[in-house]
Amino acid sequence: MTTKNLFLCLILFLIFCSCEDRIKAVNKSNLATFTPSGEADFLALKYTDSGRITAVLAAKQMRDFATVKHAFTEFPKGIDLTLYDKKGKRTFITAQYAVSYKGSDLIDLRKNVVIRSEENQRLETEQLFFDQKNGWFFTEKPFLFTDPNGGTTRGTGIDFNKDFKRINYQQVRGQINKAE
């Protein structure tokens, strides 16, 4: 190999190494930093409408991702939510994880979701969506519904309003106890 060829190989090697470092730098800069724009620990919020409390939310941790393209708020350690209707009746909701999607008024509740009314109606499932605007819950997941008399209904897929007055079952089986 001549000195000229050796020199040319050395130059090409240096150029290749230099470009590789630039490619790595560009790839690294293209990675989006997905960090929350706001965080809170031990959160307690009261939502009001015309001076009337409509909901109380308690959470151990909240992460707000308001600056990402599809903004959302995450509750990685779960929530306790109490909803109030216009007459003051309460609906209690717990979940080990929740996400609220901004712009859609939709809350995705996950992991050991339990919703209970003051009349002792109870629904248990692994995932439940809540349409805040319409006050409507729905899931396509398996569920267990217990009525005030102890009757149980199991199935897959259910939707209902927040006070359990209107319930639509999809695939169900169960035992209904006679009212006393």
Side-chain angles (χ1 to χ4, degrees):
M1 183 181 251
T2 65
T3 309
K4 185 178 177 184
N5 286 342
L6 184 62
F7 182 71
L8 185 59
C9 286
L10 182 61
I11 295 292
L12 287 174
F13 177 75
L14 290 174
I15 289 172
F16 176 75
C17 290
S18 175
C19 288
E20 188 176 332
D21 288 341
R22 286 187 192 153
I23 289 170
K24 285 180 184 176
V26 168
N27 285 340
K28 198 175 202 180
S29 70
N30 285 339
L31 292 175
T33 18
F34 203 67
T35 57
S37 54
E39 291 184 77
D41 290 329
F42 303 104
L43 173 75
L45 292 174
K46 289 183 181 180
Y47 296 91
T48 60
D49 183 10
S50 304
R52 181 180 61 82
I53 294 176
T54 58
V56 175
L57 171 68
K60 291 180 182 176
Q61 185 179 38
M62 180 197 79
R63 295 179 186 155
D64 189 28
F65 293 89
T67 58
V68 298
K69 185 175 181 180
H70 301 286
F72 64 96
T73 303
E74 177 187 46
F75 301 91
K77 294 184 179 179
I79 64 166
D80 285 308
L81 177 63
T82 303
L83 302 175
Y84 295 85
D85 71 7
K86 292 181 181 179
K87 295 178 182 176
K89 285 189 178 179
R90 298 172 296 175
T91 302
F92 307 96
I93 304 161
T94 59
Q96 290 180 346
Y97 179 85
V99 177
S100 175
Y101 298 99
K102 297 182 181 187
S104 71
D105 291 325
L106 194 66
I107 299 175
D108 181 0
L109 304 159
R110 299 181 198 167
K111 298 181 185 173
N112 297 318
V113 181
V114 177
I115 179 169
R116 183 179 56 82
S117 72
E118 283 188 337
E119 291 82 25
N120 291 320
Q121 295 165 304
R122 179 181 173 102
L123 181 105
E124 300 170 47
T125 186
E126 283 303 307
Q127 183 176 28
L128 186 67
F129 294 95
F130 177 50
D131 177 349
Q132 298 176 84
K133 184 177 179 182
N134 297 309
W136 201 258
F137 291 92
F138 58 95
T139 186
E140 296 294 322
K141 301 286 185 187
F143 67 88
L144 171 64
F145 177 74
T146 306
D147 66 38
N149 300 315
T152 59
T153 305
R154 294 180 186 275
T156 303
I158 186 172
D159 61 280
F160 54 95
N161 65 340
K162 69 180 181 181
D163 60 3
F164 291 100
K165 297 293 183 210
R166 293 184 0 213
I167 301 173
N168 300 311
Y169 298 104
Q170 291 177 21
Q171 300 172 18
V172 296
R173 62 192 182 286
Q175 173 185 340
I176 300 173
N177 294 337
K178 204 191 286 189
E180 293 180 19

